[in-house]
Coordinates of all heavy atoms in Angstrom, one line a residue:
M1 N 0.9 -1.2 0.0 CA 0.0 0.0 0.0 C 0.9 1.2 0.0 O 0.7 2.2 -0.8 CB -0.9 0.0 1.2 CG -2.0 1.0 1.2 SD -3.1 0.8 -0.3 CE -3.8 2.4 -0.3
K2 N 1.9 1.2 0.8 CA 2.8 2.4 0.9 C 3.5 2.7 -0.4 O 3.6 3.8 -0.9 CB 3.8 2.2 2.0 CG 3.6 2.8 3.3 CD 4.8 2.8 4.2 CE 4.4 3.5 5.5 NZ 5.4 3.1 6.5
V3 N 3.9 1.5 -1.1 CA 4.6 1.6 -2.4 C 3.7 2.3 -3.4 O 4.1 3.2 -4.1 CB 5.0 0.3 -2.8 CG1 5.6 0.3 -4.2 CG2 6.0 -0.3 -1.9
I4 N 2.5 1.9 -3.4 CA 1.5 2.5 -4.4 C 1.4 4.0 -4.1 O 1.4 4.8 -5.0 CB 0.1 1.8 -4.3 CG1 0.3 0.4 -4.8 CG2 -0.9 2.6 -5.1 CD1 -0.9 -0.5 -4.6
F5 N 1.3 4.4 -2.8 CA 1.2 5.8 -2.5 C 2.4 6.6 -3.1 O 2.2 7.6 -3.7 CB 1.2 5.9 -1.0 CG 1.3 7.3 -0.5 CD1 0.1 8.1 -0.5 CD2 2.5 7.9 0.0 CE1 0.2 9.4 0.0 CE2 2.5 9.1 0.5 CZ 1.4 10.0 0.5
W6 N 3.6 6.1 -2.9 CA 4.8 6.8 -3.4 C 4.9 6.8 -4.9 O 5.3 7.8 -5.5 CB 6.1 6.2 -2.8 CG 6.3 6.6 -1.4 CD1 6.2 5.8 -0.3 CD2 6.5 8.0 -0.9 NE1 6.4 6.6 0.9 CE2 6.6 7.9 0.5 CE3 6.6 9.2 -1.5 CZ2 6.8 9.1 1.3 CZ3 6.8 10.4 -0.8 CH2 6.9 10.3 0.6
V7 N 4.4 5.7 -5.6 CA 4.4 5.7 -7.0 C 3.5 6.8 -7.5 O 3.8 7.5 -8.4 CB 4.0 4.3 -7.5 CG1 3.7 4.4 -9.0 CG2 5.1 3.3 -7.3
I8 N 2.3 6.9 -6.9 CA 1.4 8.0 -7.3 C 2.0 9.4 -7.1 O 1.9 10.2 -8.0 CB 0.0 7.8 -6.6 CG1 -0.7 6.5 -7.1 CG2 -0.9 9.0 -6.8 CD1 -1.8 6.1 -6.3
I9 N 2.6 9.5 -6.0 CA 3.2 10.8 -5.7 C 4.3 11.2 -6.8 O 4.4 12.3 -7.4 CB 3.9 10.9 -4.3 CG1 2.8 10.8 -3.2 CG2 4.7 12.1 -4.1 CD1 2.0 11.9 -2.9
L10 N 5.2 10.2 -7.1 CA 6.2 10.4 -8.0 C 5.7 10.7 -9.4 O 6.2 11.6 -10.1 CB 7.2 9.2 -8.1 CG 8.1 9.1 -6.9 CD1 9.0 7.8 -7.0 CD2 9.1 10.3 -6.8
I11 N 4.6 10.0 -9.9 CA 4.1 10.2 -11.2 C 3.5 11.6 -11.2 O 3.7 12.4 -12.2 CB 3.0 9.2 -11.5 CG1 3.7 7.8 -11.8 CG2 2.2 9.6 -12.7 CD1 2.8 6.7 -11.9
G12 N 2.9 12.0 -10.1 CA 2.3 13.4 -10.0 C 3.4 14.4 -10.1 O 3.1 15.5 -10.6
L13 N 4.6 14.2 -9.6 CA 5.6 15.2 -9.6 C 6.4 15.3 -11.0 O 7.1 16.2 -11.3 CB 6.7 14.8 -8.6 CG 6.3 15.1 -7.1 CD1 7.3 14.7 -6.1 CD2 6.0 16.6 -6.9
L14 N 6.3 14.2 -11.8 CA 7.0 14.2 -13.1 C 6.8 15.4 -13.9 O 7.8 16.0 -14.4 CB 6.7 12.9 -13.9 CG 7.4 11.7 -13.5 CD1 6.9 10.5 -14.4 CD2 8.9 11.9 -13.7
P15 N 5.6 15.9 -14.2 CA 5.4 17.1 -15.0 C 6.2 18.3 -14.4 O 6.7 19.1 -15.1 CB 3.9 17.4 -15.0 CG 3.3 16.1 -14.6 CD 4.3 15.4 -13.7
L16 N 6.3 18.4 -13.1 CA 6.9 19.5 -12.4 C 8.4 19.5 -12.8 O 9.0 20.5 -13.1 CB 6.8 19.4 -10.9 CG 5.5 19.9 -10.3 CD1 5.5 19.8 -8.8 CD2 5.3 21.3 -10.7
T17 N 9.1 18.3 -12.7 CA 10.5 18.2 -13.0 C 10.7 18.6 -14.4 O 11.7 19.2 -14.7 CB 11.1 16.9 -12.6 OG1 10.3 15.9 -13.3 CG2 11.1 16.6 -11.1
A18 N 9.9 18.1 -15.3 CA 10.0 18.4 -16.7 C 9.9 19.8 -17.0 O 10.8 20.4 -17.7 CB 9.0 17.6 -17.6
S19 N 8.9 20.5 -16.5 CA 8.8 21.9 -16.8 C 9.9 22.7 -16.1 O 10.3 23.8 -16.5 CB 7.4 22.5 -16.4 OG 7.3 22.4 -15.0
G20 N 10.4 22.2 -14.9 CA 11.5 22.8 -14.3 C 12.7 22.9 -15.1 O 13.4 23.9 -15.2
S21 N 13.0 21.8 -15.9 CA 14.3 21.8 -16.7 C 14.1 22.8 -17.9 O 15.0 23.4 -18.4 CB 14.7 20.4 -17.1 OG 13.9 20.0 -18.2
D22 N 12.8 22.9 -18.5 CA 12.5 23.8 -19.6 C 12.9 25.2 -19.1 O 13.5 26.0 -19.8 CB 11.1 23.8 -20.0 CG 10.8 22.7 -21.0 OD1 11.8 21.9 -21.3 OD2 9.7 22.5 -21.4
T23 N 12.4 25.5 -17.9 CA 12.7 26.9 -17.3 C 14.1 27.1 -17.1 O 14.6 28.2 -17.5 CB 12.0 27.0 -15.9 OG1 10.6 26.6 -16.1 CG2 12.0 28.4 -15.4
N24 N 14.8 26.1 -16.7 CA 16.3 26.2 -16.5 C 17.0 26.4 -17.9 O 17.9 27.3 -17.9 CB 16.8 24.9 -15.9 CG 18.1 25.0 -15.3 OD1 18.5 26.1 -15.0 ND2 18.8 24.0 -15.1
D25 N 16.6 25.7 -18.9 CA 17.1 25.9 -20.2 C 16.9 27.3 -20.7 O 17.8 28.0 -21.3 CB 16.4 25.0 -21.2 CG 17.0 23.6 -21.2 OD1 17.9 23.4 -20.3 OD2 16.6 22.8 -21.9
Y26 N 15.7 27.9 -20.4 CA 15.4 29.2 -20.9 C 16.2 30.2 -20.2 O 16.8 31.2 -20.8 CB 13.9 29.5 -20.6 CG 13.5 30.9 -20.9 CD1 13.1 31.2 -22.2 CD2 13.4 31.9 -20.0 CE1 12.7 32.5 -22.6 CE2 13.1 33.2 -20.3 CZ 12.7 33.5 -21.6 OH 12.4 34.7 -21.9
I27 N 16.4 30.0 -18.9 CA 17.3 31.0 -18.1 C 18.7 30.9 -18.5 O 19.3 32.0 -18.8 CB 17.2 30.7 -16.6 CG1 15.8 31.0 -16.1 CG2 18.2 31.4 -15.8 CD1 15.4 30.5 -14.7
Q28 N 19.2 29.7 -18.8 CA 20.6 29.6 -19.3 C 20.7 30.2 -20.7 O 21.7 30.9 -21.0 CB 21.0 28.1 -19.4 CG 21.3 27.5 -18.0 CD 21.8 26.1 -18.3 OE1 22.7 25.8 -19.0 NE2 21.2 25.2 -17.6
G29 N 19.7 29.9 -21.6 CA 19.7 30.5 -22.9 C 19.7 32.0 -22.9 O 20.4 32.7 -23.6
R30 N 18.9 32.6 -22.0 CA 18.8 34.1 -21.9 C 20.1 34.6 -21.4 O 20.5 35.7 -21.9 CB 17.7 34.4 -20.9 CG 17.4 35.9 -20.9 CD 16.2 36.2 -20.0 NE 16.5 35.8 -18.6 CZ 15.6 35.8 -17.6 NH1 14.4 36.2 -17.8 NH2 16.0 35.4 -16.4
A31 N 20.8 34.0 -20.4 CA 22.1 34.5 -19.9 C 23.1 34.4 -21.0 O 23.9 35.4 -21.2 CB 22.5 33.6 -18.7
L32 N 23.1 33.4 -21.8 CA 24.1 33.3 -22.9 C 23.7 34.3 -24.0 O 24.6 35.0 -24.6 CB 24.1 31.9 -23.6 CG 24.6 30.8 -22.7 CD1 24.2 29.5 -23.3 CD2 26.1 30.9 -22.7
A33 N 22.4 34.5 -24.3 CA 22.0 35.4 -25.3 C 22.3 36.8 -25.0 O 22.5 37.7 -25.9 CB 20.5 35.3 -25.5
A34 N 22.5 37.2 -23.7 CA 22.8 38.5 -23.3 C 24.2 39.0 -23.8 O 24.4 40.1 -24.1 CB 22.8 38.6 -21.8
T35 N 25.1 38.0 -24.1 CA 26.3 38.3 -24.7 C 26.2 38.7 -26.2 O 27.1 39.2 -26.8 CB 27.4 37.2 -24.5 OG1 26.9 36.1 -25.3 CG2 27.6 36.8 -23.1
C36 N 25.1 38.4 -26.8 CA 24.9 38.7 -28.2 C 24.1 40.0 -28.5 O 24.2 40.6 -29.5 CB 24.1 37.6 -28.9 SG 24.5 35.9 -28.3
T37 N 23.2 40.3 -27.5 CA 22.3 41.4 -27.7 C 23.0 42.8 -27.8 O 22.4 43.8 -28.3 CB 21.1 41.4 -26.7 OG1 21.7 41.4 -25.4 CG2 20.3 40.2 -26.9
G38 N 24.2 42.9 -27.3 CA 24.9 44.2 -27.3 C 25.1 44.6 -28.8 O 25.0 45.7 -29.1
C39 N 25.4 43.6 -29.6 CA 25.5 43.9 -31.1 C 24.2 43.7 -31.8 O 23.9 44.5 -32.7 CB 26.6 43.0 -31.7 SG 28.3 43.4 -31.3
H40 N 23.6 42.5 -31.5 CA 22.4 42.1 -32.3 C 21.1 42.8 -31.9 O 20.1 42.6 -32.4 CB 22.2 40.7 -32.3 CG 23.2 39.9 -33.2 ND1 23.0 39.9 -34.6 CD2 24.4 39.4 -32.9 CE1 24.1 39.2 -35.1 NE2 24.9 38.9 -34.1
G41 N 21.2 43.7 -30.8 CA 20.0 44.4 -30.4 C 19.2 43.6 -29.4 O 19.3 42.4 -29.3
T42 N 18.3 44.3 -28.7 CA 17.4 43.7 -27.7 C 16.7 42.5 -28.4 O 16.1 42.7 -29.5 CB 16.4 44.7 -27.2 OG1 17.1 45.8 -26.8 CG2 15.6 44.1 -26.0
D43 N 16.7 41.3 -27.7 CA 16.0 40.2 -28.3 C 16.6 39.7 -29.6 O 15.9 38.9 -30.3 CB 14.5 40.4 -28.4 CG 13.8 40.5 -27.0 OD1 14.4 40.0 -26.0 OD2 12.7 41.1 -26.9
G44 N 17.8 40.2 -30.0 CA 18.4 39.8 -31.2 C 17.7 40.3 -32.5 O 17.9 39.7 -33.5
R45 N 17.0 41.3 -32.4 CA 16.2 41.8 -33.5 C 17.0 42.6 -34.6 O 16.5 43.1 -35.6 CB 15.0 42.6 -33.1 CG 14.0 41.8 -32.5 CD 12.7 42.5 -32.1 NE 12.0 41.8 -31.0 CZ 11.2 40.8 -31.2 NH1 11.1 40.3 -32.4 NH2 10.6 40.2 -30.2
G46 N 18.3 42.7 -34.3 CA 19.1 43.4 -35.3 C 19.2 44.9 -35.1 O 18.1 45.5 -34.7
Q47 N 20.3 45.5 -35.3 CA 20.5 47.0 -35.1 C 21.7 47.4 -35.9 O 22.6 46.7 -36.0 CB 20.5 47.4 -33.7 CG 21.7 46.8 -32.9 CD 21.9 47.3 -31.5 OE1 21.0 48.0 -31.0 NE2 23.0 47.0 -30.9
G48 N 21.7 48.6 -36.4 CA 22.8 49.3 -37.0 C 23.5 48.4 -38.0 O 24.8 48.3 -37.9
G49 N 22.8 47.7 -38.8 CA 23.5 46.9 -39.9 C 23.8 45.5 -39.4 O 24.3 44.7 -40.2
I50 N 23.7 45.2 -38.2 CA 24.0 43.8 -37.7 C 22.7 43.0 -37.8 O 21.6 43.5 -37.4 CB 24.5 43.9 -36.2 CG1 25.8 44.7 -36.2 CG2 24.7 42.5 -35.7 CD1 26.7 44.7 -35.0
P51 N 22.8 41.8 -38.4 CA 21.6 41.1 -38.8 C 20.7 40.7 -37.6 O 21.2 40.5 -36.5 CB 22.1 39.9 -39.6 CG 23.5 39.8 -39.2 CD 24.0 41.2 -38.8
N52 N 19.4 40.5 -37.9 CA 18.4 40.0 -37.0 C 18.7 38.5 -36.7 O 19.0 37.8 -37.7 CB 17.0 40.2 -37.6 CG 16.0 39.4 -36.8 OD1 15.9 39.5 -35.6 ND2 15.2 38.6 -37.5
I53 N 18.7 38.0 -35.5 CA 18.9 36.6 -35.2 C 17.8 36.0 -34.4 O 17.9 35.0 -33.8 CB 20.2 36.4 -34.5 CG1 20.4 37.2 -33.3 CG2 21.4 36.6 -35.5 CD1 21.6 36.7 -32.4
S54 N 16.7 36.8 -34.3 CA 15.5 36.3 -33.6 C 14.5 35.7 -34.5 O 14.4 36.0 -35.7 CB 14.9 37.4 -32.8 OG 14.2 38.3 -33.7
G55 N 13.8 34.7 -33.9 CA 12.8 34.0 -34.7 C 13.2 33.0 -35.7 O 12.5 32.5 -36.6
W56 N 14.5 32.7 -35.7 CA 15.1 31.7 -36.6 C 14.7 30.3 -36.2 O 14.6 30.0 -35.0 CB 16.6 31.8 -36.6 CG 17.2 33.0 -37.3 CD1 16.7 34.2 -37.4 CD2 18.5 32.9 -38.0 NE1 17.6 35.0 -38.1 CE2 18.7 34.3 -38.5 CE3 19.4 32.0 -38.3 CZ2 19.8 34.6 -39.2 CZ3 20.6 32.4 -39.0 CH2 20.8 33.7 -39.5
E57 N 14.5 29.4 -37.2 CA 14.4 28.1 -36.8 C 15.6 27.6 -36.1 O 16.8 27.9 -36.6 CB 14.2 27.3 -38.2 CG 13.3 26.0 -38.1 CD 13.2 25.3 -39.4 OE1 12.7 25.9 -40.3 OE2 13.7 24.2 -39.5
R58 N 15.5 26.7 -35.2 CA 16.7 26.3 -34.3 C 17.8 25.7 -35.2 O 18.9 26.0 -34.9 CB 16.2 25.4 -33.2 CG 15.5 26.1 -32.1 CD 14.7 25.2 -31.3 NE 15.6 24.2 -30.6 CZ 15.1 23.3 -29.7 NH1 13.9 23.3 -29.3 NH2 16.0 22.5 -29.1
K59 N 17.4 24.8 -36.0 CA 18.4 24.1 -36.8 C 19.3 25.1 -37.7 O 20.5 25.0 -37.8 CB 17.8 23.0 -37.7 CG 18.8 22.1 -38.4 CD 18.2 21.1 -39.3 CE 19.2 20.3 -39.9 NZ 20.5 20.9 -40.3
V60 N 18.5 26.0 -38.3 CA 19.2 27.0 -39.1 C 20.2 27.8 -38.3 O 21.3 28.1 -38.7 CB 18.2 28.0 -39.8 CG1 18.9 29.0 -40.6 CG2 17.2 27.1 -40.7
F61 N 19.8 28.2 -37.1 CA 20.6 29.0 -36.3 C 21.8 28.2 -35.9 O 23.0 28.7 -35.9 CB 19.8 29.3 -35.0 CG 20.5 30.3 -34.0 CD1 20.2 31.7 -34.0 CD2 21.4 29.8 -33.1 CE1 20.8 32.5 -33.0 CE2 22.0 30.6 -32.2 CZ 21.7 31.9 -32.1
V62 N 21.6 27.0 -35.4 CA 22.7 26.1 -35.0 C 23.7 25.9 -36.1 O 24.9 26.1 -36.0 CB 22.3 24.8 -34.4 CG1 23.4 23.8 -34.2 CG2 21.5 25.0 -33.1
D63 N 23.2 25.6 -37.4 CA 24.1 25.4 -38.5 C 24.9 26.6 -38.8 O 26.1 26.5 -39.1 CB 23.2 25.0 -39.7 CG 22.7 23.6 -39.7 OD1 23.2 22.9 -38.8 OD2 21.9 23.3 -40.5
R64 N 24.3 27.8 -38.7 CA 24.9 29.1 -39.0 C 26.1 29.3 -38.1 O 27.2 29.6 -38.4 CB 23.9 30.2 -38.9 CG 24.4 31.5 -39.5 CD 24.3 31.5 -41.1 NE 24.8 32.8 -41.6 CZ 26.0 32.9 -42.3 NH1 26.8 31.8 -42.4 NH2 26.4 34.0 -42.7
M65 N 25.8 29.0 -36.7 CA 26.8 29.2 -35.7 C 28.0 28.2 -35.9 O 29.2 28.5 -35.7 CB 26.2 29.0 -34.3 CG 25.3 30.2 -33.9 SD 26.2 31.7 -33.8 CE 27.1 31.6 -32.2
L66 N 27.6 27.0 -36.3 CA 28.7 25.9 -36.4 C 29.5 26.3 -37.6 O 30.8 26.0 -37.7 CB 28.1 24.6 -36.6 CG 27.4 24.0 -35.3 CD1 26.8 22.6 -35.6 CD2 28.4 24.0 -34.1
Y67 N 28.9 26.9 -38.6 CA 29.7 27.4 -39.8 C 30.7 28.5 -39.4 O 31.8 28.4 -39.8 CB 28.7 27.9 -40.9 CG 29.2 28.1 -42.2 CD1 30.2 27.2 -42.8 CD2 28.8 29.2 -43.0 CE1 30.8 27.5 -44.0 CE2 29.4 29.5 -44.2 CZ 30.4 28.6 -44.7 OH 30.9 28.8 -46.0
F68 N 30.2 29.4 -38.6 CA 31.1 30.4 -38.1 C 32.3 29.8 -37.3 O 33.4 30.2 -37.4 CB 30.4 31.4 -37.2 CG 29.6 32.4 -37.9 CD1 28.2 32.7 -37.6 CD2 30.1 33.2 -39.0 CE1 27.4 33.6 -38.2 CE2 29.3 34.1 -39.7 CZ 28.0 34.3 -39.3
K69 N 31.8 28.8 -36.4 CA 32.8 28.2 -35.5 C 33.8 27.4 -36.2 O 35.0 27.3 -35.9 CB 32.0 27.2 -34.7 CG 32.6 26.8 -33.3 CD 31.5 26.0 -32.6 CE 32.1 25.0 -31.6 NZ 32.7 25.5 -30.4
S70 N 33.5 26.9 -37.4 CA 34.4 26.1 -38.2 C 35.5 27.0 -38.9 O 36.6 26.5 -39.2 CB 33.7 25.4 -39.4 OG 33.4 26.4 -40.4
G71 N 35.2 28.3 -38.9 CA 36.2 29.2 -39.5 C 36.1 29.3 -41.0 O 36.9 30.1 -41.7
N72 N 35.2 28.6 -41.6 CA 35.1 28.6 -43.0 C 34.1 29.8 -43.6 O 34.2 30.1 -44.8 CB 34.5 27.3 -43.6 CG 35.5 26.2 -43.3 OD1 36.7 26.4 -43.5 ND2 35.0 25.0 -43.0
A73 N 33.3 30.3 -42.7 CA 32.4 31.3 -43.1 C 33.1 32.6 -43.3 O 34.0 33.0 -42.5 CB 31.3 31.5 -42.1
Q74 N 32.7 33.4 -44.3 CA 33.2 34.7 -44.5 C 32.5 35.6 -43.5 O 31.3 35.8 -43.5 CB 32.8 35.3 -46.0 CG 33.6 34.7 -47.0 CD 35.0 35.2 -47.1 OE1 35.3 36.3 -46.8 NE2 36.0 34.4 -47.4
A75 N 33.2 36.2 -42.6 CA 32.6 37.0 -41.5 C 33.7 38.1 -41.1 O 34.9 37.9 -41.2 CB 32.2 36.2 -40.4
T76 N 33.1 39.2 -40.5 CA 34.0 40.2 -39.9 C 34.2 39.9 -38.4 O 35.3 40.2 -37.9 CB 33.4 41.6 -40.1 OG1 32.1 41.6 -39.5 CG2 33.4 42.0 -41.6
L77 N 33.2 39.4 -37.8 CA 33.3 39.2 -36.3 C 32.9 37.8 -35.8 O 33.6 37.3 -34.9 CB 32.3 40.2 -35.6 CG 32.8 41.7 -35.7 CD1 31.5 42.5 -35.3 CD2 33.9 41.9 -34.7
M78 N 31.9 37.2 -36.5 CA 31.3 36.0 -35.9 C 32.3 34.8 -35.9 O 32.1 34.0 -35.0 CB 30.0 35.7 -36.6 CG 28.8 36.5 -36.2 SD 28.5 36.7 -34.5 CE 28.1 35.1 -34.0
H79 N 33.2 34.8 -36.8 CA 34.2 33.7 -36.7 C 35.1 33.7 -35.5 O 35.7 32.8 -35.2 CB 35.0 33.6 -38.1 CG 35.9 34.9 -38.2 ND1 35.3 36.1 -38.2 CD2 37.2 34.9 -38.3 CE1 36.3 37.0 -38.4 NE2 37.5 36.3 -38.4
Q80 N 35.1 34.9 -34.9 CA 35.9 35.1 -33.7 C 35.0 34.8 -32.4 O 35.5 34.3 -31.4 CB 36.5 36.4 -33.5 CG 37.5 36.7 -34.6 CD 38.0 38.2 -34.6 OE1 37.6 39.0 -33.8 NE2 38.9 38.5 -35.5
I81 N 33.8 35.1 -32.6 CA 32.8 34.9 -31.4 C 32.3 33.4 -31.2 O 32.4 32.9 -30.1 CB 31.6 35.9 -31.6 CG1 32.1 37.3 -31.5 CG2 30.6 35.6 -30.5 CD1 31.1 38.3 -31.8
A82 N 31.9 32.9 -32.4 CA 31.3 31.5 -32.3 C 32.2 30.5 -31.7 O 31.6 29.6 -30.9 CB 30.8 31.1 -33.7
P83 N 33.5 30.4 -31.9 CA 34.3 29.3 -31.3 C 34.3 29.3 -29.8 O 34.6 28.3 -29.1 CB 35.7 29.6 -31.8 CG 35.5 30.4 -33.1 CD 34.3 31.2 -32.8
G84 N 33.8 30.4 -29.2 CA 33.8 30.5 -27.7 C 32.7 29.7 -27.1 O 32.6 29.7 -25.9
Y85 N 31.8 29.2 -27.9 CA 30.6 28.6 -27.4 C 30.6 27.0 -27.8 O 30.9 26.7 -28.9 CB 29.3 29.2 -27.9 CG 29.2 30.7 -27.4 CD1 29.8 31.7 -28.1 CD2 28.6 31.0 -26.2 CE1 29.7 33.0 -27.7 CE2 28.5 32.3 -25.7 CZ 29.1 33.3 -26.5 OH 29.1 34.6 -26.0
T86 N 30.1 26.3 -26.8 CA 30.0 24.8 -27.0 C 28.7 24.6 -27.8 O 27.8 25.4 -27.9 CB 29.9 24.0 -25.7 OG1 28.7 24.4 -25.0 CG2 31.1 24.3 -24.8
L87 N 28.6 23.4 -28.4 CA 27.4 23.0 -29.1 C 26.1 23.1 -28.2 O 25.1 23.6 -28.6 CB 27.5 21.6 -29.7 CG 26.3 21.1 -30.5 CD1 25.9 22.0 -31.6 CD2 26.5 19.7 -30.9
E88 N 26.3 22.7 -27.0 CA 25.2 22.7 -26.0 C 24.7 24.2 -25.8 O 23.6 24.5 -25.7 CB 25.7 22.1 -24.7 CG 24.5 21.8 -23.8 CD 24.9 21.5 -22.4 OE1 26.1 21.3 -22.1 OE2 24.1 21.5 -21.5
Q89 N 25.7 25.1 -25.6 CA 25.4 26.5 -25.4 C 24.7 27.1 -26.7 O 23.7 27.8 -26.5 CB 26.6 27.3 -25.1 CG 27.2 26.9 -23.7 CD 28.6 27.6 -23.4 OE1 29.4 27.7 -24.3 NE2 28.7 28.0 -22.2
I90 N 25.2 26.7 -27.8 CA 24.6 27.1 -29.1 C 23.2 26.7 -29.2 O 22.3 27.4 -29.6 CB 25.4 26.7 -30.3 CG1 26.8 27.5 -30.3 CG2 24.7 26.9 -31.6 CD1 27.8 27.0 -31.3
N91 N 22.9 25.4 -28.8 CA 21.5 24.9 -28.8 C 20.6 25.7 -27.8 O 19.5 25.9 -28.2 CB 21.6 23.4 -28.4 CG 21.8 22.5 -29.6 OD1 21.1 22.7 -30.6 ND2 22.7 21.6 -29.4
L92 N 21.2 26.0 -26.7 CA 20.4 26.9 -25.7 C 20.0 28.2 -26.3 O 18.9 28.7 -26.1 CB 21.1 27.0 -24.4 CG 21.2 25.7 -23.5 CD1 22.2 25.9 -22.4 CD2 19.8 25.3 -22.9
M93 N 21.0 28.8 -26.9 CA 20.7 30.1 -27.5 C 19.7 30.0 -28.7 O 18.9 30.9 -28.9 CB 22.0 30.8 -28.0 CG 22.9 31.2 -26.9 SD 24.3 32.2 -27.4 CE 25.4 31.0 -28.1
A94 N 19.9 29.0 -29.5 CA 19.0 28.7 -30.6 C 17.6 28.6 -30.2 O 16.6 29.2 -30.7 CB 19.4 27.5 -31.4
Q95 N 17.4 27.9 -29.0 CA 16.1 27.7 -28.5 C 15.5 29.0 -28.0 O 14.4 29.4 -28.2 CB 16.2 26.7 -27.3 CG 14.8 26.3 -26.8 CD 15.0 25.2 -25.7 OE1 16.1 24.6 -25.6 NE2 14.0 25.0 -24.9
Y96 N 16.4 29.8 -27.3 CA 16.0 31.1 -26.8 C 15.6 32.1 -27.9 O 14.5 32.6 -27.9 CB 17.1 31.7 -25.9 CG 16.7 33.1 -25.4 CD1 16.0 33.2 -24.2 CD2 17.1 34.2 -26.0 CE1 15.6 34.5 -23.8 CE2 16.9 35.5 -25.6 CZ 16.1 35.6 -24.4 OH 15.8 36.8 -24.0
F97 N 16.4 32.3 -28.9 CA 16.2 33.3 -29.9 C 15.0 32.8 -30.8 O 14.4 33.6 -31.4 CB 17.5 33.5 -30.7 CG 18.4 34.5 -30.0 CD1 19.7 34.1 -29.8 CD2 18.0 35.7 -29.8 CE1 20.6 35.0 -29.2 CE2 18.9 36.6 -29.1 CZ 20.2 36.2 -28.8
S98 N 14.8 31.5 -30.9 CA 13.7 31.0 -31.8 C 12.4 31.4 -31.3 O 11.4 31.6 -32.0 CB 13.8 29.5 -32.0 OG 13.4 28.9 -30.7
K99 N 12.3 31.7 -30.0 CA 11.0 32.1 -29.4 C 10.9 33.6 -29.3 O 9.9 34.1 -28.6 CB 10.9 31.4 -28.0 CG 10.7 29.9 -28.3 CD 10.5 29.2 -26.9 CE 10.4 27.7 -27.2 NZ 11.0 26.9 -26.2
K100 N 11.9 34.4 -29.7 CA 11.9 35.8 -29.6 C 11.1 36.4 -30.8 O 11.2 35.9 -31.9 CB 13.3 36.4 -29.4 CG 13.8 36.1 -28.1 CD 13.2 37.0 -27.1 CE 12.9 36.3 -25.8 NZ 12.0 37.0 -24.9
Ligands
HEC201 C1 30.7 42.4 -31.6 C2 29.4 42.3 -32.2 C3 28.7 41.0 -32.3 C4 28.4 40.1 -31.2 C5 28.8 40.3 -29.7 C6 27.7 39.0 -31.7 N1 27.5 39.1 -33.1 FE1 26.6 37.8 -34.3 N2 27.0 39.0 -35.9 C7 27.7 40.2 -35.9 C8 28.0 40.6 -37.2 C9 28.8 41.9 -37.6 C10 27.4 39.6 -38.1 C11 27.5 39.6 -39.6 C12 28.5 38.5 -40.0 C13 30.0 39.0 -39.7 O1 30.4 39.8 -40.4 O2 30.6 38.5 -38.7 C14 26.8 38.7 -37.2 C15 26.1 37.6 -37.7 C16 25.5 36.6 -36.9 C17 24.6 35.6 -37.4 C18 24.3 35.2 -38.8 C19 23.1 36.2 -39.3 C20 22.8 36.1 -40.7 O3 21.9 36.7 -41.2 O4 23.4 35.3 -41.4 C21 24.2 34.8 -36.3 C22 23.4 33.6 -36.3 C23 24.8 35.5 -35.1 N3 25.6 36.5 -35.6 C24 24.7 35.0 -33.9 C25 25.3 35.6 -32.8 C26 25.2 35.0 -31.5 C27 24.4 33.8 -31.1 C28 25.9 35.8 -30.6 C29 26.2 35.7 -29.2 C30 26.9 34.5 -28.8 C31 26.5 36.9 -31.5 N4 26.0 36.7 -32.7 C32 27.2 37.9 -31.0 C33 28.2 40.9 -34.7 C34 28.1 40.3 -33.4

């Protein structure tokens, strides 16, 4: 009987832990994104000739960043910035900016 009680409690808590990690991803994404908005504008919407990076499909964003990271992309700045981020961090930023 006790076991059943705890199983029910644990199943009840599952959605909480899932949404908790989404929130965590969002907070981490936002913190990382803050290093981009100085150039790309609030929420990454672009400013002063620097392109908009908000609302992009996640995969497109990640591919673009990996291309900069590879050093093969023609760029004035991003080939220096992108290598500073891991794939995991790029994914978090892609998720954050895709919802902006
Ligand atoms: C110092 C200014 C600066 C910062 C900081 C910066 N960017 Fe950029 N970004 C640029 C410029 C300029 C370009 C245009 C490509 C180039 O010349 O490097 C660009 C281009 C891009 C593009 C491609 C846009 C397109 O239309 O092809 C992406 C994606 C991007 N940046 C993401 C980021 C992310 C993510 C960050 C934060 C980790 C960031 N940028 C930080 C200046 C910056």
